[in-house]
Amino acid sequence: MPRTHRGTHATRTWPGREVAVSRVLPLSATEAFTLLVDLRHHVRWIPWTRVAVPPGPPVRGAVVVAVSGPFARQGAPGIVDRMRIDRLDPPGDGPGVAVFTKLGPVLAGEARIVVSGLGAHRSRVTWSERVHLAGPVPAGMLVAPVLRLMLRAALTRVAREVDDRRRHHHAHGNAGPHNESPHTQVFTQ
């Protein structure tokens, strides 16, 4: 797998194929899985995005709506990404796997987060997206590079956040509260 900056790995793909990025995090597989599959956190990692999620922890069948665009966080319109959580299997004897099916109206396909334990306090996260524009426009070669950049940025931000939290924990003796972003909106279905 080609190595990119700061420990992130990305697979090479053909247009319209899966885009995947992997990164090792200094968290147990359970901690990493819990952090990454809770889409309330994604607004801190996905550029230009606001997210509407059902209340509480993620559950299979829940529908999440993300809106991305230059001013989406200020409430402006953007690209709507409706997703349903179709698989939510935490790590156990094997890796943890979460699958989010893209429901349109703009994007179709799926996103997948796989978390594998590498010991008590390390895990490998692979975040992949096999996404295309919904409808008749074959724009896979346009979507894949954008997704690859987004996934790299997201996992780099996750790693930075985890490192910052660990430094804070060691400096102050506790992890402190974990604040939600003001760009996360909780809604009821």
Side-chain angles (χ1 to χ4, degrees):
M1 190 177 301
R3 185 171 170 82
T4 61
H5 62 81
R6 299 184 203 188
T8 303
H9 291 61
T11 59
R12 302 269 184 238
T13 61
W14 291 280
R17 300 272 188 194
E18 181 176 77
V19 173
V21 174
S22 294
R23 183 162 193 126
V24 173
L25 296 176
L27 296 171
S28 71
T30 299
E31 291 171 313
F33 185 82
T34 301
L35 179 67
L36 284 156
V37 302
D38 190 338
L39 277 75
R40 292 175 292 186
H41 302 300
H42 286 213
V43 296
R44 296 194 307 270
W45 312 324
I46 308 295
W48 296 350
T49 300
R50 70 178 185 267
V51 180
V53 298
V59 294
R60 187 175 299 168
V63 174
V64 177
V65 179
V67 178
S68 299
F71 302 102
R73 288 188 177 176
Q74 288 78 31
I79 296 173
V80 176
D81 184 6
R82 290 180 58 244
M83 298 168 274
R84 182 181 58 238
I85 302 172
D86 283 339
R87 182 173 175 188
L88 196 61
D89 299 329
D93 292 335
V97 179
V99 175
F100 305 87
T101 301
K102 308 282 186 169
L103 303 173
V106 179
L107 300 174
E110 75 175 27
R112 179 178 297 257
I113 296 173
V114 178
V115 180
S116 302
L118 300 175
H121 303 290
R122 283 175 33 112
S123 57
R124 176 176 304 282
V125 174
T126 300
W127 186 340
S128 62
E129 302 234 3
R130 183 179 298 268
V131 177
H132 59 276
L133 294 177
V137 180
M141 71 179 107
L142 300 176
V143 174
V146 172
L147 284 175
R148 188 174 296 108
L149 286 172
M150 184 221 34
L151 293 177
R152 282 184 188 155
L155 284 183
T156 297
R157 289 174 179 181
V158 170
R160 187 179 315 131
E161 181 179 300
V162 168
D163 288 343
D164 289 349
R165 228 187 308 161
R166 291 174 78 77
R167 277 194 293 278
H168 179 79
H169 174 73
H170 291 301
H172 300 299
N174 64 37
H178 194 71
N179 298 326
E180 268 189 16
S181 166
H183 307 294
T184 301
Q185 175 186 14
V186 178
F187 68 91
T188 55
Q189 292 179 313

